[in-house]
């Protein structure tokens, strides 16, 4: 059994995800990423011919390109991710953790530790192909499931060779909490775990807090899922948070990420914790906003641990620059396993599936 992979987008830079896996005479598209910046357009979908598309999670750089695909291409995603699809777009359910057949190919999914409803994808072709989508081991809310073995690993390397533990990030963010702060965050991702953390901090410091209703709804949706789809021991904290009234005006605000500017929030300092658009990089350079990362992607040592666990012989770091210094760093981390080609393939007569477990 052989498999051919073409990375249409997402190689060599932080950018929209779109990967075609061709096996058994079928072509599956993994993710359909849209442009990260409003003035960019995507070209990967031009003249694309695929039999089905599988979506890992609902962030724009993984799902917003669905609008460019023909409506009759079968689309698979989890029910919570389907909420972000274009209105009336037909879709088939992917399990949050489990196995199904798509166009004759066995697809296994597991929790990716990154966002509400988000999964990684494993295809039982050519010795196994694993695609992490966006993934993280360090979420206090979203679990990460151990994937089956795979010779090819397409991994979220959004952070490059960065390797700071989440505890350092949280400590650094806590040092900003002496002032009125607004945190613009992706509402299905780190928003949920930051809400729990900010509630604890607000209580300890006797600060007032407001959490966007959309983020509250997403926490309620997480609570409504089977308990094994969230880290244990948090249900009481989530319920307490949902019962808590928003303060008005609050000292701390957790809000859905939009194109907000500092001028729109004159009473709060904006603290960003994730990817910065060029506009925001300019605001940061002008000291109008602050930035401190909250880890939601694999850091370098975790990416290597995942590649080891998969038993991968070809590892592609996705969503990151691969110019000179970065390439050297990845070579040091992955050795001969490093693969930076846009097209790759594997051949195998045997695909081994191991059972799912808790890895991180
Ligand atoms: Zn994401």
């Amino acid at each position: 059994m052989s498999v051919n992979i073409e990375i249409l987008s997402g190689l060599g830079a932080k950018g929209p995800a779109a990967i075609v896996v061709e096996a058994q005479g079928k072509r599956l598209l993994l993710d359909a990423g849209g442009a990260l910046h409003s003035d960019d357009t995507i070209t990967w979908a031009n003249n694309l011919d695929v039999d089905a598309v599988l979506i890992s999670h609902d962030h724009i750089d993984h799902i917003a390109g669905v609008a460019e695909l023909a409506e009759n291409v079968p689309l698979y995603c989890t029910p919570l991710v389907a909420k972000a699809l274009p209105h009336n777009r037909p879709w088939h359910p992917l399990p949050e953790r489990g196995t199904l057949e798509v166009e004759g190919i066995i697809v296994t999914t597991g929790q990716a530790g990154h966002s509400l409803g988000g999964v990684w994808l494993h295809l039982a072709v050519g010795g196994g192909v694993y695609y992490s989508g966006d993934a993280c081991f360090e979420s206090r809310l979203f679990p990460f499931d151990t994937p089956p073995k795979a010779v090819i690993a397409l991994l979220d390397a959004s952070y490059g060779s960065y390797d700071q533990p989440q505890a350092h990030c949280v400590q650094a963010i806590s040092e900003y909490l002496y002032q009125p702060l607004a945190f613009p965050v992706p509402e299905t991702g780190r928003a949920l775990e930051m809400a729990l953390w900010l509630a604890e901090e607000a209580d300890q410091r006797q600060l007032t807090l407001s959490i966007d209703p959309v983020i509250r709804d997403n926490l309620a949706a997480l609570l409504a899922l089977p308990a094994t789809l969230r880290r244990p021991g948090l249900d009481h904290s989530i319920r307490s948070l949902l019962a808590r009234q928003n303060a008005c005006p609050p000292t701390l605000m957790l809000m859905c990420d939009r194109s907000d500017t500092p001028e729109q929030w004159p009473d709060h300092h904006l603290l960003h914790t994730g990817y910065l658009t060029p506009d925001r990089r300019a605001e940061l350079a002008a000291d109008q906003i602050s930035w401190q990362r909250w880890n939601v992607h694999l850091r370098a040592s975790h990416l290597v641990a995942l590649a080891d666990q998969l038993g991968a012989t070809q590892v592609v770091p996705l969503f990151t620059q691969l110019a000179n210094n970065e390439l050297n760093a990845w070579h040091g981390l992955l050795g001969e396993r490093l693969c930076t080609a846009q097209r790759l393939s594997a051949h195998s007569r045997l695909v081994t599936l191991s059972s799912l477990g808790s890895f991180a």
Side-chain angles (χ1 to χ4, degrees):
M1 191 191 298
S2 67
V3 57
N4 296 307
I5 293 171
E6 183 178 4
I7 303 167
L8 301 177
S9 177
L11 184 67
K14 178 78 175 169
I19 300 156
V20 172
V21 178
E22 187 174 57
Q24 299 170 202
K26 298 290 183 180
R27 288 164 58 82
L28 303 187
L29 175 67
L30 309 185
D31 277 343
L36 272 166
H37 315 131
S38 53
D39 47 355
D40 284 355
T41 52
I42 56 167
T43 55
W44 62 258
N46 296 351
N47 305 314
L48 184 68
D49 181 20
V50 292
D51 295 290
V53 53
L54 291 80
I55 302 292
S56 67
H57 69 294
D58 65 2
H59 292 161
I60 55 170
D61 48 335
H62 295 259
I63 198 171
V66 167
E68 309 294 321
L69 301 176
E71 275 231 338
N72 61 356
V73 177
L75 184 150
Y76 294 78
C77 63
T78 66
L80 285 170
V81 169
K83 293 181 176 182
L85 290 173
H87 190 55
N88 286 337
R89 176 55 160 97
W91 59 281
H92 304 277
L94 267 184
E96 286 87 3
R97 176 188 286 136
T99 296
L100 86 164
E101 223 175 276
V102 177
E103 302 290 322
I105 293 171
I106 297 169
V107 176
T108 302
T109 62
Q111 292 290 291
H114 174 77
S115 64
L116 184 64
V119 294
W120 49 247
L121 302 163
H122 178 282
L123 277 57
V125 291
V129 174
Y130 174 79
Y131 170 53
S132 67
D134 285 346
C136 185
F137 291 178
E138 299 178 281
S139 170
R140 59 177 64 202
L141 202 48
F142 303 117
F144 183 89
D145 295 328
T146 307
K149 299 291 180 188
V151 297
I152 293 180
L154 309 163
L155 302 183
D156 172 17
S158 297
Y159 289 163
S161 55
Y162 161 89
D163 206 18
Q164 286 280 314
Q166 175 72 323
H168 290 204
C169 302
V170 173
Q171 175 59 37
I173 293 173
S174 71
E175 288 168 16
Y176 286 90
L177 296 180
Y178 64 89
Q179 61 193 317
L181 280 180
F183 295 86
V185 285
E187 66 247 32
T188 57
R190 77 185 81 101
L192 280 64
E193 49 189 314
M194 287 185 73
L196 292 181
W197 176 72
L198 279 174
E200 288 168 19
E201 292 291 320
D203 287 344
Q204 281 172 20
R205 296 163 189 260
Q206 298 185 321
L207 300 173
T208 54
L209 173 65
S210 166
I211 293 172
D212 191 291
V214 173
I215 297 171
R216 289 174 174 271
D217 288 349
N218 287 338
L219 272 167
L222 180 67
L223 200 56
L225 290 173
T228 55
L229 295 177
R230 51 189 179 270
R231 299 272 193 198
L234 294 167
D235 289 10
H236 176 71
S237 301
I238 298 172
R239 284 196 189 92
S240 300
L241 182 55
L242 291 173
R244 182 187 187 123
Q245 297 288 320
N246 276 345
C248 187
T251 310
L252 306 175
M253 292 175 59
L254 192 64
M255 57 196 208
C256 296
D257 200 5
R258 295 166 298 248
S259 307
D260 291 341
T261 61
E263 295 77 46
Q264 291 168 268
W265 301 99
D267 299 328
H268 288 78
H269 184 66
L270 286 174
L271 177 54
H272 288 271
T273 53
Y275 175 75
L276 290 177
T277 59
D279 286 350
R280 286 174 175 168
R281 280 200 289 275
E283 291 167 1
L284 183 65
D287 272 338
Q288 296 172 325
I289 61 169
S290 295
W291 180 86
Q292 168 57 50
R293 178 174 283 154
W294 175 286
N295 287 356
V296 292
H297 296 279
L298 294 169
R299 54 189 173 92
S301 58
H302 290 176
L303 185 148
V304 173
L306 181 53
D308 291 346
Q309 191 279 326
L310 290 163
T313 55
Q314 298 181 75
V315 181
V316 184
L318 293 171
F319 319 134
T320 193
Q321 293 190 356
L322 293 169
N324 302 334
N325 286 346
E326 293 88 354
L327 204 54
N328 289 339
W330 285 115
H331 224 284
L333 289 162
L334 294 168
E336 294 303 308
R337 294 176 292 179
L338 175 63
C339 182
T340 59
Q342 194 182 3
R343 290 186 174 84
L344 56 158
S345 58
H347 308 272
S348 171
R349 295 171 63 185
L350 184 68
V351 175
T352 310
L353 285 174
S354 64
S355 59
L356 295 173
S358 179
F359 184 47

